[in-house]
Amino acid sequence: MKNILLGVSGGIAAYKSANIISKLKKKGYNVRVIMTKNATEIITPLTLETLARDRVVVDMWEKKYNYDVEHISLADWADLILVAPTTLNIIGKIANGIADDMLTTVISASKAPVYFALAMNVNMYENPILIENITKLKKFGYNFIESDEGFLACNVNAKGRLKDEEEIVKIVENHFTKENFLIGKKILITAGPTEERLDPIRFLSNHSTGKMGYAIAKKCVEFGAEVILISGPTNLENQNNIETIRVKSALEMYDECLKHFSKIDIFISTAAVADYRPKVTSDKKIKKSEGNLIIELERNPDILLEMSKLKEHQKLIGFCAESENLIENAMGKLKRKNLDFIVANSVEYFSKDNNKVFIISKDESIKELEEMPKEYLAEFIVKSIVK
Ligand code: CTP
């Protein structure tokens, strides 16, 4: 059975770690516990020791009766490190390479996946330094279990409450049971429409909602990937664990793709990028005049095609929506853009909640999927193309 190293830091929710240990033990996991000194003020090591049926480690310098270097042996022993609750202090230390107690030393010395279950006062939660530290740690592959809204120890109803213990244990279980076939992979995804500016209040765009791309990004993260989502303007919210970069125009999207392409393993291009932009954009609102208005458009870069020219080890996946000759057109784009897969659908599904797609691979095999909501479809697509 898997070895879970539970780190308990000094938030009021530290008392809930007892419940987490008991749930993990019931599921059959081996559990060892490290507490910070502050956590021992909230719940005693004896309680956690009794539930874990193992000595709880707090002190770096405590006398012990085996001759391993303890922080190294614990760091190697763990298949997964769960820190619950995680305080702002722990995040700050790990994000800045500070290892000044047993917990931060073991986390810093371990190659095991780490899950930080956050719990703190709402103002601390919104502290920009914490937000920056979390963003930094996400980039290094640390996982975060966001806290819930609820009644906090500081007497307010707000975000900051440790996620329900049952759900935390579920996340640990999922880590091992679901197919984490994207662990260690970096994926760049474009999504949504682009807006091509005409004047301060007008632009050219399309009806793309971004739903397909966001759903795919979410699935990739669930399967263990680190995802950068470059999103055109959408009504969708940023998702946990996804670095989302908001852009407007095709040129901005192109620049962001260029910045990240060399570092990624997979590029998934779901965005409905405008092929043209107005040749001239006006700083002032364009006034109407008697005659017709002719707007000259110039070509935008074909982002996917440009990325394919830079392709080294990266896998490239394109999407296309066609009004006619779906398979034939899709096959043409697959070849022209040197793609590994193309996901093709009819334009009638554009901006809808459901989609029905064909997945064509570079060996020209075609897989037809049933019509279904985009969030379910995302799982099928990710499994078919990436696994
Ligand atoms: N694409 C892109 N940049 C563009 C146009 C398209 O990256 N300027 C990407 C899309 O994200 C999609 C794929 O290319 O993954 C196919 O897009 P689509 O609009 O269907 O095809 P086009 O190549 O633009 O061809 P056409 O307009 O002739 O259908």
Side-chain angles (χ1 to χ4, degrees), residues 217-350:
K218 190 165 172 220
K219 276 294 149 201
C220 289
V221 166
E222 282 178 25
F223 291 132
E226 187 185 331
V227 172
I228 301 172
L229 179 65
I230 303 180
S231 171
T234 69
N235 292 326
L236 305 172
E237 285 188 7
N238 288 6
Q239 303 169 47
N240 291 341
N241 293 342
I242 299 179
E243 184 188 343
T244 306
I245 300 167
R246 302 267 176 180
V247 294
K248 287 222 160 94
S249 66
L251 283 177
E252 285 167 19
M253 189 174 270
Y254 176 51
D255 283 347
E256 288 298 334
C257 288
L258 274 180
K259 263 189 224 160
H260 294 96
F261 190 76
S262 64
K263 294 173 286 184
I264 56 138
D265 303 292
I266 300 168
F267 180 55
I268 306 181
S269 178
T270 73
V273 185
D275 289 321
Y276 297 91
R277 63 177 178 273
K279 189 162 185 188
V280 178
T281 57
S282 168
D283 287 340
K284 302 214 169 66
K285 185 185 166 201
I286 301 170
K287 302 298 281 179
K288 66 175 167 298
S289 54
E290 276 309 304
N292 293 339
L293 173 68
I294 294 171
I295 299 167
E296 192 179 348
L297 301 176
E298 66 183 345
R299 278 291 304 268
N300 268 328
D302 183 326
I303 301 174
L304 185 53
L305 180 69
E306 293 306 319
M307 295 305 119
S308 78
K309 293 180 193 161
L310 305 173
K311 180 169 173 169
E312 290 169 340
H313 59 284
Q314 294 89 342
K315 298 262 177 259
L316 261 53
I317 293 114
F319 274 66
C320 69
E322 303 290 340
S323 308
E324 53 196 354
N325 303 332
L326 180 64
I327 301 296
E328 199 184 316
N329 282 332
M331 207 78 103
K333 287 176 189 176
L334 176 92
K335 296 231 162 74
R336 212 165 42 250
K337 304 194 190 192
N338 190 16
L339 306 179
D340 294 278
F341 290 94
I342 192 155
V343 182
N345 61 264
S346 149
V347 281
E348 70 188 271
Y349 294 102
F350 206 78

Side-chain angles (χ1 to χ4, degrees), residues 53-65:
R53 276 165 253 138
D54 200 354
R55 187 172 68 90
V56 165
V57 184
V58 182
D59 191 351
M60 284 283 283
W61 312 112
E62 180 189 346
K63 273 221 179 72
K64 52 187 169 33
Y65 300 96

Side-chain angles (χ1 to χ4, degrees), residues 84-149:
T86 307
T87 55
L88 173 139
N89 191 38
I90 294 288
I91 298 295
K93 286 192 204 177
I94 300 294
N96 291 287
I98 296 169
D100 64 352
D101 61 7
M102 195 55 151
L103 181 57
T104 49
T105 304
V106 170
I107 293 171
S108 306
S110 180
K111 293 211 156 86
V114 179
Y115 284 76
F116 289 116
L118 300 168
M120 63 195 74
N121 156 274
V122 64
N123 293 336
M124 290 169 104
Y125 211 90
E126 288 165 3
N127 182 316
I129 301 172
L130 175 81
I131 294 170
E132 195 173 294
N133 284 335
I134 290 178
T135 310
K136 181 171 171 187
L137 288 175
K138 279 181 184 169
K139 283 193 197 138
F140 289 122
Y142 289 89
N143 305 288
F144 286 82
I145 303 174
E146 290 290 327
S147 56
D148 286 337
E149 271 192 28

